[in-house]
Amino acid sequence: MHVFTVWAALAAVAHSVAVIRPSPLDDDSTIQLPLVIWHGLGDDFERDGMQELASLAESVNPDTYVHIIRLADTGSGDRQATFFGNVTEQIETVCEQLAAEPILSSAPAINALGFSQGGQFLRGYIERCNNPPVHNLVTFGSQHNGISEFQSCALGDWLCHGAEALLRSGRWTTFAQSHVVPAQYFRDPTELDAYLENSNFLADINNEREVKNKTYKKHLESLNLFAMFMFDEDTVAIPKESALFAEVNATDGTVTPLQERKIYKEDWLGLKKLDNQGKLQFKSAPGQHMHLSEGLLKKTLKEYFGPIENPESQPQLPRLVAQPGL
Ligand SMILES: *[C@@H]1O[C@H](CO)[C@@H](O)[C@H](O)[C@H]1NC(C)=O
Ligand SMILES: *[C@@H]1O[C@H](CO)[C@@H](O)[C@H](O)[C@H]1NC(C)=O
Ligand SMILES: *[C@@H]1O[C@H](CO)[C@@H](O)[C@H](O)[C@H]1NC(C)=O
């Protein structure tokens, strides 16, 4: 019962404002793009937090249609899919889900907000599908350069412990790479060869293999803005600097920022191009992993997901001013 009531309520709220229409303030010169959210590990689409976020997005930017990505019809199934599954298939499912949602697919573009692993998965959506296309992408505490340790699970969280055990026992096995979600973005710089050979998700999506996928680059370059937030005191996603696409040497703690890495210098993903155009942002958020304050959320919604210029509006003709003497 509970499962469906919450989702139905959320869907009802979303649908009641589900219109891509010109802002009432300003004839048809601006529009409000829909917002797609992909939550993190251990979370699910029907959590209170997700529902509150959807309402917040609607109150900060009126007329925002919010779509929370889900990989199952129930909260528990959706949560399970954050630990177990083949990420390639999960992204395919999301590509179909977004393309089949009429409000999203009829919008000129969508905005995207990714929490933790949801951030690199949304990047995967953009690189592989981007239909409907993403305007602004914002990620919080995401593992763009992978994790080199698995997060410690809460006591009694058996799904998490199960995933952790599988990850430890054989992260590069085909089994783990097709069934354990965090294994598919595991990236330890001391095991780079095994990673390049076996990684089912991250090595591909980061274009780290010999043959680069030009579509990935083209799609990512088409973003209007890509803002990455790192949590300053993050001890859950290791290393935390992965949130900003940096690499960390675990032996001596050296952090190599994105701009000094090959992925940037040879521009495998278009990140250098975005950066040169001022479209790539490296931001920090205070506190522990995903300890997001409402203040920062509001600021983010306002700054990145507010109304934009309507691409279809006609340029206003200059008013004819009566000239004295004519
Ligand atoms: C690149 O990615 C696109 C989108 O996923 C895919 O259709 C294409 O086959 C890929 N190309 C190569 C060379 O792998
Ligand atoms: C994950 O799924 C894709 C698409 O079905 C498949 O091609 C790939 O082999 C799977 N990955 C692994 C590691 O089994
Ligand atoms: C990490 O740092 C150590 C000590 O400076 C160095 O020996 C090692 O080669 C570095 N590892 C990588 C993967 O660069």
Side-chain angles (χ1 to χ4, degrees), residues 189-190 247 249-254:
T190 64
E247 181 157 306
N249 180 326
T251 313
D252 62 8
T254 317

Side-chain angles (χ1 to χ4, degrees), residues 142-321:
S142 295
Q143 298 87 40
H144 291 296
N145 198 49
I147 48 167
S148 55
E149 268 179 50
F150 193 51
Q151 70 174 50
S152 36
C153 302
L155 212 65
D157 187 342
W158 301 114
L159 273 182
C160 183
H161 281 293
E164 188 179 32
L166 285 167
L167 187 56
R168 288 198 200 292
S169 67
R171 49 183 165 267
W172 302 125
T173 58
T174 309
F175 182 81
Q177 288 298 320
S178 54
H179 291 93
V180 185
V181 169
Q184 295 162 65
Y185 56 84
F186 190 88
R187 186 186 186 282
D188 181 343
T190 64
E191 297 178 9
L192 219 51
D193 290 343
Y195 162 79
L196 289 173
E197 195 172 322
N198 301 299
S199 171
N200 181 45
F201 172 70
L202 197 70
D204 176 74
I205 219 73
N206 283 0
N207 254 345
E208 288 180 274
R209 297 197 171 107
E210 202 115 340
V211 180
K212 314 294 179 200
N213 189 315
K214 294 201 178 80
T215 307
Y216 291 179
K217 183 171 193 245
K218 194 180 99 199
H219 284 177
L220 214 55
E221 279 175 355
S222 73
L223 284 171
N224 175 67
L225 265 185
F226 177 13
M228 300 179 279
F229 284 79
M230 173 182 84
F231 290 95
D232 288 336
E233 289 155 52
D234 196 334
T235 55
V236 174
I238 299 168
K240 66 175 191 235
E241 292 82 0
S242 183
L244 303 180
F245 244 124
E247 181 157 306
V248 179
N249 180 326
T251 313
D252 62 8
T254 317
V255 178
T256 309
L258 175 64
Q259 288 94 336
E260 288 169 26
R261 303 182 54 209
K262 233 171 156 183
I263 188 175
Y264 178 95
K265 291 189 202 163
E266 296 182 0
D267 213 15
W268 298 342
L269 285 177
L271 295 168
K272 184 179 179 180
K273 184 167 177 191
L274 284 176
D275 198 21
N276 288 340
Q277 296 173 333
K279 295 176 172 178
L280 188 64
Q281 298 185 355
F282 302 83
K283 313 278 273 187
S284 72
Q288 177 59 285
H289 190 66
M290 291 312 298
H291 285 201
L292 257 173
S293 68
E294 187 173 316
L296 180 56
L297 266 177
K298 277 188 176 158
K299 189 165 174 278
T300 303
L301 291 163
K302 214 175 181 63
E303 210 167 307
Y304 298 100
F305 304 135
I308 61 158
E309 228 171 90
N310 185 353
E312 277 166 20
S313 81
Q314 300 299 316
Q316 300 265 313
L317 291 172
R319 285 248 172 84
L320 289 175
V321 180

